[in-house]
PDB file of all heavy atoms in Angstrom:
ATOM      1  N   ALA A   3     -80.261  -0.002   9.199  1.00  0.00           N
ATOM      2  CA  ALA A   3     -78.939  -0.639   9.259  1.00  0.00           C
ATOM      3  C   ALA A   3     -78.775  -1.746  10.408  1.00  0.00           C
ATOM      4  O   ALA A   3     -77.693  -2.417  10.332  1.00  0.00           O
ATOM      5  CB  ALA A   3     -77.973   0.434   9.529  1.00  0.00           C
ATOM      6  N   LYS A   4     -79.889  -1.919  11.062  1.00  0.00           N
ATOM      7  CA  LYS A   4     -79.754  -2.871  12.174  1.00  0.00           C
ATOM      8  C   LYS A   4     -79.465  -4.249  11.734  1.00  0.00           C
ATOM      9  O   LYS A   4     -78.556  -5.013  12.370  1.00  0.00           O
ATOM     10  CB  LYS A   4     -81.051  -2.857  13.033  1.00  0.00           C
ATOM     11  CG  LYS A   4     -80.923  -3.562  14.263  1.00  0.00           C
ATOM     12  CD  LYS A   4     -82.107  -3.468  15.226  1.00  0.00           C
ATOM     13  CE  LYS A   4     -81.888  -4.289  16.494  1.00  0.00           C
ATOM     14  NZ  LYS A   4     -82.887  -4.036  17.459  1.00  0.00           N
ATOM     15  N   PRO A   5     -80.087  -4.837  10.791  1.00  0.00           N
ATOM     16  CA  PRO A   5     -79.844  -6.244  10.318  1.00  0.00           C
ATOM     17  C   PRO A   5     -78.401  -6.451   9.919  1.00  0.00           C
ATOM     18  O   PRO A   5     -77.781  -7.509   9.890  1.00  0.00           O
ATOM     19  CB  PRO A   5     -80.791  -6.391   9.056  1.00  0.00           C
ATOM     20  CG  PRO A   5     -81.707  -5.404   9.027  1.00  0.00           C
ATOM     21  CD  PRO A   5     -81.108  -4.184   9.910  1.00  0.00           C
ATOM     22  N   LEU A   6     -77.645  -5.271   9.491  1.00  0.00           N
ATOM     23  CA  LEU A   6     -76.264  -5.396   9.096  1.00  0.00           C
ATOM     24  C   LEU A   6     -75.361  -5.623  10.283  1.00  0.00           C
ATOM     25  O   LEU A   6     -74.435  -6.309  10.270  1.00  0.00           O
ATOM     26  CB  LEU A   6     -76.017  -4.054   8.544  1.00  0.00           C
ATOM     27  CG  LEU A   6     -74.811  -3.826   7.617  1.00  0.00           C
ATOM     28  CD1 LEU A   6     -75.035  -4.558   6.364  1.00  0.00           C
ATOM     29  CD2 LEU A   6     -74.532  -2.375   7.428  1.00  0.00           C
ATOM     30  N   PHE A   7     -75.625  -4.973  11.452  1.00  0.00           N
ATOM     31  CA  PHE A   7     -74.912  -5.024  12.637  1.00  0.00           C
ATOM     32  C   PHE A   7     -75.105  -6.201  13.538  1.00  0.00           C
ATOM     33  O   PHE A   7     -74.324  -6.601  14.285  1.00  0.00           O
ATOM     34  CB  PHE A   7     -74.995  -3.642  13.354  1.00  0.00           C
ATOM     35  CG  PHE A   7     -74.286  -2.532  12.706  1.00  0.00           C
ATOM     36  CD1 PHE A   7     -75.006  -1.651  12.018  1.00  0.00           C
ATOM     37  CD2 PHE A   7     -72.823  -2.351  12.706  1.00  0.00           C
ATOM     38  CE1 PHE A   7     -74.459  -0.521  11.404  1.00  0.00           C
ATOM     39  CE2 PHE A   7     -72.243  -1.328  12.124  1.00  0.00           C
ATOM     40  CZ  PHE A   7     -72.992  -0.386  11.461  1.00  0.00           C
ATOM     41  N   GLU A   8     -76.381  -6.564  13.488  1.00  0.00           N
ATOM     42  CA  GLU A   8     -76.824  -7.483  14.546  1.00  0.00           C
ATOM     43  C   GLU A   8     -77.437  -8.795  14.133  1.00  0.00           C
ATOM     44  O   GLU A   8     -78.451  -9.339  14.559  1.00  0.00           O
ATOM     45  CB  GLU A   8     -77.811  -6.789  15.560  1.00  0.00           C
ATOM     46  CG  GLU A   8     -77.294  -5.626  16.223  1.00  0.00           C
ATOM     47  CD  GLU A   8     -78.246  -4.764  17.030  1.00  0.00           C
ATOM     48  OE1 GLU A   8     -79.243  -5.379  17.477  1.00  0.00           O
ATOM     49  OE2 GLU A   8     -78.044  -3.712  17.153  1.00  0.00           O
ATOM     50  N   PRO A   9     -76.796  -9.478  13.148  1.00  0.00           N
ATOM     51  CA  PRO A   9     -77.271 -10.840  12.614  1.00  0.00           C
ATOM     52  C   PRO A   9     -76.999 -11.830  13.643  1.00  0.00           C
ATOM     53  O   PRO A   9     -76.023 -11.889  14.356  1.00  0.00           O
ATOM     54  CB  PRO A   9     -76.562 -10.984  11.384  1.00  0.00           C
ATOM     55  CG  PRO A   9     -75.194 -10.324  11.591  1.00  0.00           C
ATOM     56  CD  PRO A   9     -75.549  -9.087  12.457  1.00  0.00           C
ATOM     57  N   MET A  39     -63.910 -13.996  10.605  1.00  0.00           N
ATOM     58  CA  MET A  39     -65.292 -14.299  11.017  1.00  0.00           C
ATOM     59  C   MET A  39     -65.351 -15.532  12.018  1.00  0.00           C
ATOM     60  O   MET A  39     -66.044 -15.554  13.018  1.00  0.00           O
ATOM     61  CB  MET A  39     -66.137 -14.494   9.836  1.00  0.00           C
ATOM     62  CG  MET A  39     -66.557 -13.230   8.989  1.00  0.00           C
ATOM     63  SD  MET A  39     -67.590 -12.175  10.002  1.00  0.00           S
ATOM     64  CE  MET A  39     -69.036 -12.996  10.188  1.00  0.00           C
ATOM     65  N   TYR A  42     -63.779 -14.546  15.523  1.00  0.00           N
ATOM     66  CA  TYR A  42     -64.446 -13.447  16.355  1.00  0.00           C
ATOM     67  C   TYR A  42     -65.973 -13.444  16.443  1.00  0.00           C
ATOM     68  O   TYR A  42     -66.511 -13.091  17.413  1.00  0.00           O
ATOM     69  CB  TYR A  42     -63.920 -12.087  15.937  1.00  0.00           C
ATOM     70  CG  TYR A  42     -62.536 -11.891  16.063  1.00  0.00           C
ATOM     71  CD1 TYR A  42     -61.611 -11.953  14.961  1.00  0.00           C
ATOM     72  CD2 TYR A  42     -61.852 -11.687  17.322  1.00  0.00           C
ATOM     73  CE1 TYR A  42     -60.204 -11.768  15.056  1.00  0.00           C
ATOM     74  CE2 TYR A  42     -60.630 -11.545  17.522  1.00  0.00           C
ATOM     75  CZ  TYR A  42     -59.646 -11.623  16.331  1.00  0.00           C
ATOM     76  OH  TYR A  42     -58.355 -11.425  16.519  1.00  0.00           O
ATOM     77  N   PHE A  43     -66.601 -13.918  15.391  1.00  0.00           N
ATOM     78  CA  PHE A  43     -68.043 -13.880  15.361  1.00  0.00           C
ATOM     79  C   PHE A  43     -68.742 -14.822  16.251  1.00  0.00           C
ATOM     80  O   PHE A  43     -68.422 -16.074  16.293  1.00  0.00           O
ATOM     81  CB  PHE A  43     -68.569 -14.020  13.880  1.00  0.00           C
ATOM     82  CG  PHE A  43     -70.088 -13.850  13.771  1.00  0.00           C
ATOM     83  CD1 PHE A  43     -70.669 -12.626  14.213  1.00  0.00           C
ATOM     84  CD2 PHE A  43     -70.947 -14.708  13.134  1.00  0.00           C
ATOM     85  CE1 PHE A  43     -72.093 -12.456  14.138  1.00  0.00           C
ATOM     86  CE2 PHE A  43     -72.267 -14.615  13.023  1.00  0.00           C
ATOM     87  CZ  PHE A  43     -72.881 -13.480  13.566  1.00  0.00           C
ATOM     88  N   LYS A  44     -69.602 -14.248  17.192  1.00  0.00           N
ATOM     89  CA  LYS A  44     -70.264 -15.113  18.118  1.00  0.00           C
ATOM     90  C   LYS A  44     -71.580 -15.822  17.648  1.00  0.00           C
ATOM     91  O   LYS A  44     -72.052 -16.711  18.311  1.00  0.00           O
ATOM     92  CB  LYS A  44     -70.503 -14.420  19.436  1.00  0.00           C
ATOM     93  CG  LYS A  44     -69.253 -13.901  20.218  1.00  0.00           C
ATOM     94  CD  LYS A  44     -69.635 -12.849  21.324  1.00  0.00           C
ATOM     95  CE  LYS A  44     -68.432 -12.271  21.936  1.00  0.00           C
ATOM     96  NZ  LYS A  44     -68.741 -11.015  22.635  1.00  0.00           N
ATOM     97  N   GLY A 122     -65.700  -3.722   4.863  1.00  0.00           N
ATOM     98  CA  GLY A 122     -66.985  -3.927   5.397  1.00  0.00           C
ATOM     99  C   GLY A 122     -67.299  -3.343   6.819  1.00  0.00           C
ATOM    100  O   GLY A 122     -67.259  -2.158   6.883  1.00  0.00           O
ATOM    101  N   LEU A 123     -67.505  -4.164   7.779  1.00  0.00           N
ATOM    102  CA  LEU A 123     -67.757  -3.616   9.138  1.00  0.00           C
ATOM    103  C   LEU A 123     -67.422  -4.520  10.252  1.00  0.00           C
ATOM    104  O   LEU A 123     -66.984  -5.692  10.133  1.00  0.00           O
ATOM    105  CB  LEU A 123     -69.302  -3.298   9.249  1.00  0.00           C
ATOM    106  CG  LEU A 123     -70.283  -4.501   9.520  1.00  0.00           C
ATOM    107  CD1 LEU A 123     -71.501  -4.036  10.116  1.00  0.00           C
ATOM    108  CD2 LEU A 123     -70.548  -5.146   8.240  1.00  0.00           C
ATOM    109  N   ILE A 124     -67.230  -3.912  11.456  1.00  0.00           N
ATOM    110  CA  ILE A 124     -67.051  -4.595  12.572  1.00  0.00           C
ATOM    111  C   ILE A 124     -67.974  -4.189  13.708  1.00  0.00           C
ATOM    112  O   ILE A 124     -68.392  -3.039  13.813  1.00  0.00           O
ATOM    113  CB  ILE A 124     -65.562  -4.083  13.180  1.00  0.00           C
ATOM    114  CG1 ILE A 124     -64.512  -4.643  12.251  1.00  0.00           C
ATOM    115  CG2 ILE A 124     -65.304  -4.681  14.652  1.00  0.00           C
ATOM    116  CD1 ILE A 124     -63.133  -4.018  12.478  1.00  0.00           C
ATOM    117  N   ASN A 125     -68.545  -5.132  14.456  1.00  0.00           N
ATOM    118  CA  ASN A 125     -69.281  -4.906  15.662  1.00  0.00           C
ATOM    119  C   ASN A 125     -68.556  -5.624  16.829  1.00  0.00           C
ATOM    120  O   ASN A 125     -68.762  -6.974  16.949  1.00  0.00           O
ATOM    121  CB  ASN A 125     -70.725  -5.467  15.469  1.00  0.00           C
ATOM    122  CG  ASN A 125     -71.652  -5.257  16.684  1.00  0.00           C
ATOM    123  OD1 ASN A 125     -71.162  -4.756  17.679  1.00  0.00           O
ATOM    124  ND2 ASN A 125     -72.890  -5.615  16.577  1.00  0.00           N
ATOM    125  N   THR A 126     -68.104  -4.986  17.789  1.00  0.00           N
ATOM    126  CA  THR A 126     -67.247  -5.547  18.760  1.00  0.00           C
ATOM    127  C   THR A 126     -68.158  -6.319  19.675  1.00  0.00           C
ATOM    128  O   THR A 126     -67.785  -7.186  20.597  1.00  0.00           O
ATOM    129  CB  THR A 126     -66.245  -4.720  19.638  1.00  0.00           C
ATOM    130  OG1 THR A 126     -67.141  -3.630  20.057  1.00  0.00           O
ATOM    131  CG2 THR A 126     -65.198  -4.164  18.677  1.00  0.00           C
ATOM    132  N   GLU A 127     -69.538  -5.904  19.769  1.00  0.00           N
ATOM    133  CA  GLU A 127     -70.423  -6.594  20.761  1.00  0.00           C
ATOM    134  C   GLU A 127     -70.705  -8.101  20.367  1.00  0.00           C
ATOM    135  O   GLU A 127     -70.656  -8.926  21.211  1.00  0.00           O
ATOM    136  CB  GLU A 127     -71.756  -5.737  20.731  1.00  0.00           C
ATOM    137  CG  GLU A 127     -72.867  -6.385  21.640  1.00  0.00           C
ATOM    138  CD  GLU A 127     -72.467  -5.975  23.078  1.00  0.00           C
ATOM    139  OE1 GLU A 127     -71.531  -5.336  23.437  1.00  0.00           O
ATOM    140  OE2 GLU A 127     -73.245  -6.615  23.969  1.00  0.00           O
ATOM    141  N   ASN A 128     -70.832  -8.383  19.028  1.00  0.00           N
ATOM    142  CA  ASN A 128     -71.115  -9.746  18.679  1.00  0.00           C
ATOM    143  C   ASN A 128     -69.870 -10.271  17.914  1.00  0.00           C
ATOM    144  O   ASN A 128     -70.032 -11.530  17.401  1.00  0.00           O
ATOM    145  CB  ASN A 128     -72.439  -9.896  17.885  1.00  0.00           C
ATOM    146  CG  ASN A 128     -72.395  -9.086  16.587  1.00  0.00           C
ATOM    147  OD1 ASN A 128     -71.296  -8.543  16.213  1.00  0.00           O
ATOM    148  ND2 ASN A 128     -73.541  -8.943  15.890  1.00  0.00           N
ATOM    149  N   GLY A 129     -68.886  -9.628  17.753  1.00  0.00           N
ATOM    150  CA  GLY A 129     -67.687 -10.115  17.262  1.00  0.00           C
ATOM    151  C   GLY A 129     -67.616 -10.093  15.624  1.00  0.00           C
ATOM    152  O   GLY A 129     -66.843 -10.736  15.043  1.00  0.00           O
ATOM    153  N   LEU A 130     -68.737  -9.593  15.014  1.00  0.00           N
ATOM    154  CA  LEU A 130     -68.800  -9.569  13.508  1.00  0.00           C
ATOM    155  C   LEU A 130     -67.602  -8.723  13.095  1.00  0.00           C
ATOM    156  O   LEU A 130     -67.345  -7.584  13.539  1.00  0.00           O
ATOM    157  CB  LEU A 130     -70.121  -8.814  13.210  1.00  0.00           C
ATOM    158  CG  LEU A 130     -70.415  -8.628  11.687  1.00  0.00           C
ATOM    159  CD1 LEU A 130     -70.727 -10.056  11.149  1.00  0.00           C
ATOM    160  CD2 LEU A 130     -71.673  -7.817  11.483  1.00  0.00           C
ATOM    161  N   ASN A 131     -66.900  -9.365  12.227  1.00  0.00           N
ATOM    162  CA  ASN A 131     -65.621  -8.661  11.575  1.00  0.00           C
ATOM    163  C   ASN A 131     -65.399  -9.150  10.086  1.00  0.00           C
ATOM    164  O   ASN A 131     -64.908 -10.249  10.005  1.00  0.00           O
ATOM    165  CB  ASN A 131     -64.518  -8.967  12.499  1.00  0.00           C
ATOM    166  CG  ASN A 131     -63.154  -8.219  11.962  1.00  0.00           C
ATOM    167  OD1 ASN A 131     -62.984  -7.795  10.865  1.00  0.00           O
ATOM    168  ND2 ASN A 131     -62.369  -7.852  12.946  1.00  0.00           N
ATOM    169  N   THR A 132     -65.818  -8.381   9.169  1.00  0.00           N
ATOM    170  CA  THR A 132     -65.745  -8.686   7.818  1.00  0.00           C
ATOM    171  C   THR A 132     -64.422  -8.251   7.144  1.00  0.00           C
ATOM    172  O   THR A 132     -64.359  -8.191   5.909  1.00  0.00           O
ATOM    173  CB  THR A 132     -66.943  -8.280   6.990  1.00  0.00           C
ATOM    174  OG1 THR A 132     -66.791  -6.853   6.823  1.00  0.00           O
ATOM    175  CG2 THR A 132     -68.258  -8.614   7.660  1.00  0.00           C
ATOM    176  N   THR A 133     -63.593  -7.689   7.970  1.00  0.00           N
ATOM    177  CA  THR A 133     -62.357  -7.073   7.314  1.00  0.00           C
ATOM    178  C   THR A 133     -61.350  -8.351   6.951  1.00  0.00           C
ATOM    179  O   THR A 133     -61.427  -9.444   7.601  1.00  0.00           O
ATOM    180  CB  THR A 133     -61.524  -6.203   8.370  1.00  0.00           C
ATOM    181  OG1 THR A 133     -60.974  -6.996   9.411  1.00  0.00           O
ATOM    182  CG2 THR A 133     -62.501  -5.104   8.868  1.00  0.00           C
ATOM    183  N   HIS A 139     -58.663  -6.775  15.072  1.00  0.00           N
ATOM    184  CA  HIS A 139     -59.981  -6.678  15.730  1.00  0.00           C
ATOM    185  C   HIS A 139     -59.708  -5.845  16.984  1.00  0.00           C
ATOM    186  O   HIS A 139     -59.055  -6.185  17.974  1.00  0.00           O
ATOM    187  CB  HIS A 139     -60.417  -8.112  16.159  1.00  0.00           C
ATOM    188  CG  HIS A 139     -61.852  -8.154  16.551  1.00  0.00           C
ATOM    189  ND1 HIS A 139     -62.903  -8.028  15.694  1.00  0.00           N
ATOM    190  CD2 HIS A 139     -62.477  -8.214  17.797  1.00  0.00           C
ATOM    191  CE1 HIS A 139     -63.981  -8.227  16.395  1.00  0.00           C
ATOM    192  NE2 HIS A 139     -63.649  -8.254  17.707  1.00  0.00           N
ATOM    193  N   PRO A 140     -60.397  -4.624  17.021  1.00  0.00           N
ATOM    194  CA  PRO A 140     -60.130  -3.651  18.123  1.00  0.00           C
ATOM    195  C   PRO A 140     -60.782  -4.177  19.342  1.00  0.00           C
ATOM    196  O   PRO A 140     -61.715  -5.105  19.340  1.00  0.00           O
ATOM    197  CB  PRO A 140     -60.766  -2.423  17.683  1.00  0.00           C
ATOM    198  CG  PRO A 140     -61.878  -2.732  16.754  1.00  0.00           C
ATOM    199  CD  PRO A 140     -61.201  -4.067  16.062  1.00  0.00           C
ATOM    200  N   LYS A 141     -60.456  -3.631  20.599  1.00  0.00           N
ATOM    201  CA  LYS A 141     -61.028  -4.104  21.801  1.00  0.00           C
ATOM    202  C   LYS A 141     -62.411  -3.302  22.010  1.00  0.00           C
ATOM    203  O   LYS A 141     -62.702  -2.311  21.280  1.00  0.00           O
ATOM    204  CB  LYS A 141     -60.239  -3.803  23.012  1.00  0.00           C
ATOM    205  CG  LYS A 141     -60.100  -2.443  23.450  1.00  0.00           C
ATOM    206  CD  LYS A 141     -59.266  -2.343  24.776  1.00  0.00           C
ATOM    207  CE  LYS A 141     -59.490  -0.923  25.370  1.00  0.00           C
ATOM    208  NZ  LYS A 141     -58.775  -0.649  26.560  1.00  0.00           N
ATOM    209  N   LYS A 142     -63.342  -3.894  22.687  1.00  0.00           N
ATOM    210  CA  LYS A 142     -64.686  -3.364  23.019  1.00  0.00           C
ATOM    211  C   LYS A 142     -64.596  -2.029  23.652  1.00  0.00           C
ATOM    212  O   LYS A 142     -63.708  -1.758  24.454  1.00  0.00           O
ATOM    213  CB  LYS A 142     -65.446  -4.291  23.929  1.00  0.00           C
ATOM    214  CG  LYS A 142     -66.704  -4.833  23.377  1.00  0.00           C
ATOM    215  CD  LYS A 142     -67.455  -5.487  24.457  1.00  0.00           C
ATOM    216  CE  LYS A 142     -67.844  -6.874  24.086  1.00  0.00           C
ATOM    217  NZ  LYS A 142     -68.943  -7.485  24.818  1.00  0.00           N
ATOM    218  N   GLY A 143     -65.479  -1.159  23.180  1.00  0.00           N
ATOM    219  CA  GLY A 143     -65.503   0.318  23.817  1.00  0.00           C
ATOM    220  C   GLY A 143     -66.645   0.855  23.273  1.00  0.00           C
ATOM    221  O   GLY A 143     -67.591   0.401  22.754  1.00  0.00           O
ATOM    222  N   ILE A 169     -63.607   0.304  20.789  1.00  0.00           N
ATOM    223  CA  ILE A 169     -64.581   0.583  19.702  1.00  0.00           C
ATOM    224  C   ILE A 169     -65.832  -0.247  19.834  1.00  0.00           C
ATOM    225  O   ILE A 169     -65.909  -1.381  20.244  1.00  0.00           O
ATOM    226  CB  ILE A 169     -63.867   0.114  18.333  1.00  0.00           C
ATOM    227  CG1 ILE A 169     -62.486   0.911  18.175  1.00  0.00           C
ATOM    228  CG2 ILE A 169     -64.708   0.237  17.122  1.00  0.00           C
ATOM    229  CD1 ILE A 169     -62.658   2.274  17.948  1.00  0.00           C
ATOM    230  N   SER A 170     -66.957   0.398  19.458  1.00  0.00           N
ATOM    231  CA  SER A 170     -68.211  -0.273  19.541  1.00  0.00           C
ATOM    232  C   SER A 170     -68.570  -0.775  18.074  1.00  0.00           C
ATOM    233  O   SER A 170     -68.740  -2.019  17.951  1.00  0.00           O
ATOM    234  CB  SER A 170     -69.434   0.743  19.948  1.00  0.00           C
ATOM    235  OG  SER A 170     -69.445   1.879  19.138  1.00  0.00           O
ATOM    236  N   LYS A 171     -68.514   0.107  17.070  1.00  0.00           N
ATOM    237  CA  LYS A 171     -68.784  -0.357  15.601  1.00  0.00           C
ATOM    238  C   LYS A 171     -67.845   0.337  14.783  1.00  0.00           C
ATOM    239  O   LYS A 171     -67.297   1.523  15.080  1.00  0.00           O
ATOM    240  CB  LYS A 171     -70.187   0.139  15.328  1.00  0.00           C
ATOM    241  CG  LYS A 171     -71.291  -0.190  16.117  1.00  0.00           C
ATOM    242  CD  LYS A 171     -71.648  -1.576  16.162  1.00  0.00           C
ATOM    243  CE  LYS A 171     -72.917  -1.974  17.051  1.00  0.00           C
ATOM    244  NZ  LYS A 171     -72.669  -2.043  18.595  1.00  0.00           N
ATOM    245  N   PHE A 172     -67.496  -0.281  13.736  1.00  0.00           N
ATOM    246  CA  PHE A 172     -66.551   0.318  12.753  1.00  0.00           C
ATOM    247  C   PHE A 172     -67.053  -0.015  11.296  1.00  0.00           C
ATOM    248  O   PHE A 172     -67.430  -1.194  10.983  1.00  0.00           O
ATOM    249  CB  PHE A 172     -65.140  -0.465  12.799  1.00  0.00           C
ATOM    250  CG  PHE A 172     -64.128   0.435  12.343  1.00  0.00           C
ATOM    251  CD1 PHE A 172     -63.078   0.817  13.108  1.00  0.00           C
ATOM    252  CD2 PHE A 172     -63.972   0.814  11.036  1.00  0.00           C
ATOM    253  CE1 PHE A 172     -62.002   1.754  12.878  1.00  0.00           C
ATOM    254  CE2 PHE A 172     -62.837   1.495  10.602  1.00  0.00           C
ATOM    255  CZ  PHE A 172     -61.938   1.951  11.494  1.00  0.00           C
ATOM    256  N   VAL A 173     -67.395   1.029  10.554  1.00  0.00           N
ATOM    257  CA  VAL A 173     -68.004   0.782   9.172  1.00  0.00           C
ATOM    258  C   VAL A 173     -67.204   1.478   8.094  1.00  0.00           C
ATOM    259  O   VAL A 173     -66.931   2.754   8.188  1.00  0.00           O
ATOM    260  CB  VAL A 173     -69.466   1.455   9.228  1.00  0.00           C
ATOM    261  CG1 VAL A 173     -70.252   0.950   8.006  1.00  0.00           C
ATOM    262  CG2 VAL A 173     -70.199   1.108  10.464  1.00  0.00           C
ATOM    263  N   TYR A 189     -78.748   4.401  13.154  1.00  0.00           N
ATOM    264  CA  TYR A 189     -78.566   3.171  13.895  1.00  0.00           C
ATOM    265  C   TYR A 189     -77.653   3.435  15.149  1.00  0.00           C
ATOM    266  O   TYR A 189     -78.055   2.990  16.249  1.00  0.00           O
ATOM    267  CB  TYR A 189     -77.930   1.988  13.133  1.00  0.00           C
ATOM    268  CG  TYR A 189     -77.472   0.902  13.821  1.00  0.00           C
ATOM    269  CD1 TYR A 189     -78.404  -0.095  14.348  1.00  0.00           C
ATOM    270  CD2 TYR A 189     -76.108   0.711  14.169  1.00  0.00           C
ATOM    271  CE1 TYR A 189     -78.056  -1.133  15.114  1.00  0.00           C
ATOM    272  CE2 TYR A 189     -75.772  -0.364  14.981  1.00  0.00           C
ATOM    273  CZ  TYR A 189     -76.662  -1.308  15.418  1.00  0.00           C
ATOM    274  OH  TYR A 189     -76.257  -2.358  16.243  1.00  0.00           O
ATOM    275  N   LEU A 190     -76.576   4.165  14.925  1.00  0.00           N
ATOM    276  CA  LEU A 190     -75.636   4.430  15.990  1.00  0.00           C
ATOM    277  C   LEU A 190     -76.329   5.380  17.065  1.00  0.00           C
ATOM    278  O   LEU A 190     -76.013   5.213  18.310  1.00  0.00           O
ATOM    279  CB  LEU A 190     -74.392   5.198  15.465  1.00  0.00           C
ATOM    280  CG  LEU A 190     -73.541   4.189  14.560  1.00  0.00           C
ATOM    281  CD1 LEU A 190     -72.377   5.094  14.085  1.00  0.00           C
ATOM    282  CD2 LEU A 190     -73.046   2.961  15.284  1.00  0.00           C
ATOM    283  N   ASP A 193     -77.869   2.831  19.263  1.00  0.00           N
ATOM    284  CA  ASP A 193     -77.076   1.813  19.655  1.00  0.00           C
ATOM    285  C   ASP A 193     -76.569   2.036  21.155  1.00  0.00           C
ATOM    286  O   ASP A 193     -75.913   2.995  21.470  1.00  0.00           O
ATOM    287  CB  ASP A 193     -75.806   1.736  18.802  1.00  0.00           C
ATOM    288  CG  ASP A 193     -74.913   0.601  19.243  1.00  0.00           C
ATOM    289  OD1 ASP A 193     -75.455  -0.556  19.588  1.00  0.00           O
ATOM    290  OD2 ASP A 193     -73.650   0.772  19.034  1.00  0.00           O
ATOM    291  N   GLN A 195     -74.236   0.508  22.768  1.00  0.00           N
ATOM    292  CA  GLN A 195     -72.823   0.433  23.088  1.00  0.00           C
ATOM    293  C   GLN A 195     -72.126   1.621  22.635  1.00  0.00           C
ATOM    294  O   GLN A 195     -70.873   1.800  22.815  1.00  0.00           O
ATOM    295  CB  GLN A 195     -72.294  -0.754  22.119  1.00  0.00           C
ATOM    296  CG  GLN A 195     -72.487  -2.125  23.020  1.00  0.00           C
ATOM    297  CD  GLN A 195     -73.801  -2.842  22.744  1.00  0.00           C
ATOM    298  OE1 GLN A 195     -74.285  -2.740  21.623  1.00  0.00           O
ATOM    299  NE2 GLN A 195     -74.445  -3.161  23.797  1.00  0.00           N
ATOM    300  N   THR A 196     -72.734   2.489  21.850  1.00  0.00           N
ATOM    301  CA  THR A 196     -72.100   3.708  21.215  1.00  0.00           C
ATOM    302  C   THR A 196     -72.273   5.008  21.998  1.00  0.00           C
ATOM    303  O   THR A 196     -73.523   5.311  22.170  1.00  0.00           O
ATOM    304  CB  THR A 196     -72.419   3.901  19.815  1.00  0.00           C
ATOM    305  OG1 THR A 196     -72.048   2.797  18.978  1.00  0.00           O
ATOM    306  CG2 THR A 196     -71.863   5.157  19.191  1.00  0.00           C
TER     307      THR A 196
END
Side-chain angles (χ1 to χ4, degrees):
Chain A
K4 193 170 176 174
L6 200 72
F7 288 101
E8 301 175 25
M39 283 298 291
Y42 298 104
F43 185 49
K44 290 173 191 161
L123 77 156
I124 293 171
N125 177 358
T126 54
E127 182 66 12
N128 62 9
L130 184 66
N131 185 332
T132 71
T133 70
H139 193 73
K141 75 171 195 187
K142 237 190 232 196
I169 299 297
S170 57
K171 310 286 185 286
F172 207 114
V173 196
Y189 170 76
L190 295 175
D193 179 39
Q195 279 82 44
T196 298

